[in-house]
């Protein structure tokens, strides 16, 4: 646990590599189209719980893995953003499942440490192209739903994206009170 706290407060922070392909906006919503690099990710999936509750269960598991709860006892440093996939219902509400995706830092991509917790999996993910919009504050499920709805409205008639899943992302540790950065990523089809 000490390694996790030290790592999140004082460790290195690496940004998940991406390239901005275009920018746009409509009314009060601005967005970017980004090509995000693939790679190996530590994932935790939680079902049968609302998003906020599922995050409270999944995030500590990922943070412990990153902080050294792995076969090498190695604190790896952070990558941002940490993203999690959510699955919308027809009405825009979210299903009771999510999957956290933490991109393993470049230094460990070729040989990531094995998680000690069996609920943490290492998965390879291909590159993705997303439409991204940014917002602040301590984001909760209702904020993600609202921001996703606004991004969809801004993209209406100009872009195609998956309707069965989208990503919610965060860049900041929980103890950062101001200037927080969150994003919604719709997956381009």
């Amino acid at each position: 646990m000490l390694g996790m706290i030290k790592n999140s407060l004082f460790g290195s922070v690496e940004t998940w590599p991406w390239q901005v392909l275009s920018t746009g906006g409509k009314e009060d919503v601005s967005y970017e189209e980004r090509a995000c690099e693939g790679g190996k990710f530590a994932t935790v999936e939680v079902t049968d719980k609302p998003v906020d509750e599922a995050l409270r269960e999944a995030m500590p598991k990922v943070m412990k893995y990153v902080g050294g709860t792995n076969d090498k006892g190695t604190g790896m440093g952070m990558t941002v953003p940490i993203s999690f996939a959510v699955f919308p219902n027809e009405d825009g509400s979210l299903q009771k499942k999510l999957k956290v995706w933490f991109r393993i830092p470049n230094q460990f991509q070729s040989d990531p440490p094995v998680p000690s917790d069996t609920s943490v999996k290492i998965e390879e993910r291909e590159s993705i192209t997303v439409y991204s919009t940014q917002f602040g504050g301590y984001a909760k499920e209702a904020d993600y739903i609202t921001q996703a709805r606004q991004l969809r409205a801004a993209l209406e008639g100009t872009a195609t994206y998956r309707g069965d899943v989208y990503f919610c992302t965060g860049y900041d540790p929980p103890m950062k009170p101001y200037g927080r950065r969150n994003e919604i990523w719709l997956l381009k089809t």
Side-chain angles (χ1 to χ4, degrees):
M1 181 62 103
L2 182 59
M4 177 185 76
I5 294 168
K6 180 180 148 234
N7 188 50
S8 67
L9 291 175
F10 307 110
S12 61
V13 177
E14 183 179 302
T15 301
W16 180 356
W18 73 66
Q19 177 182 3
V20 176
L21 303 175
S22 67
T23 59
K26 187 176 181 182
E27 297 174 13
D28 292 337
V29 179
S30 60
Y31 59 86
E32 294 179 339
E33 179 183 0
R34 295 183 191 157
C36 302
E37 193 174 286
K40 292 189 174 96
F41 289 75
T43 67
V44 175
E45 195 164 353
V46 178
T47 58
D48 299 322
K49 293 183 179 176
V51 168
D52 294 337
E53 186 179 338
L55 273 177
R56 284 191 296 273
E57 179 179 320
M59 287 304 295
K61 293 177 180 189
V62 171
M63 298 310 298
K64 286 178 184 177
Y65 168 69
V66 170
T69 305
N70 53 60
D71 69 333
K72 297 177 183 171
T74 302
M76 293 182 274
M78 291 295 297
T79 58
V80 293
I82 292 179
S83 62
F84 56 97
V86 295
F87 305 89
N89 292 305
E90 291 286 327
D91 65 0
S93 65
L94 300 178
Q95 296 176 30
K96 290 185 176 183
K97 69 176 182 176
L98 67 75
K99 186 172 190 176
V100 172
W101 293 83
F102 170 81
R103 189 174 192 282
I104 293 170
N106 286 332
Q107 175 185 351
F108 299 95
Q109 276 288 312
S110 64
D111 185 26
V114 176
S116 301
D117 182 337
T118 58
S119 68
V120 178
K121 308 292 183 208
I122 305 300
E123 296 184 32
E124 184 86 24
R125 185 161 89 185
E126 296 296 318
S127 298
I128 56 174
T129 300
V130 300
Y131 296 102
S132 173
T133 191
Q134 185 176 321
F135 63 102
Y138 281 99
K140 299 285 185 207
E141 181 173 350
D143 302 308
Y144 299 124
I145 292 169
T146 298
Q147 293 294 323
R149 182 174 49 247
Q150 290 173 351
L151 180 55
R152 281 190 215 98
L155 293 170
E156 189 174 335
T158 64
T160 57
Y161 50 86
R162 288 183 57 180
D164 61 330
V165 62
Y166 62 86
F167 286 95
C168 307
T169 70
Y171 288 75
D172 305 300
M175 65 289 282
K176 182 178 179 183
Y178 303 104
R180 298 183 63 79
R181 179 178 176 183
N182 310 290
E183 294 177 343
I184 293 295
W185 290 2
L186 299 181
L187 294 162
K188 183 178 180 176
T189 55

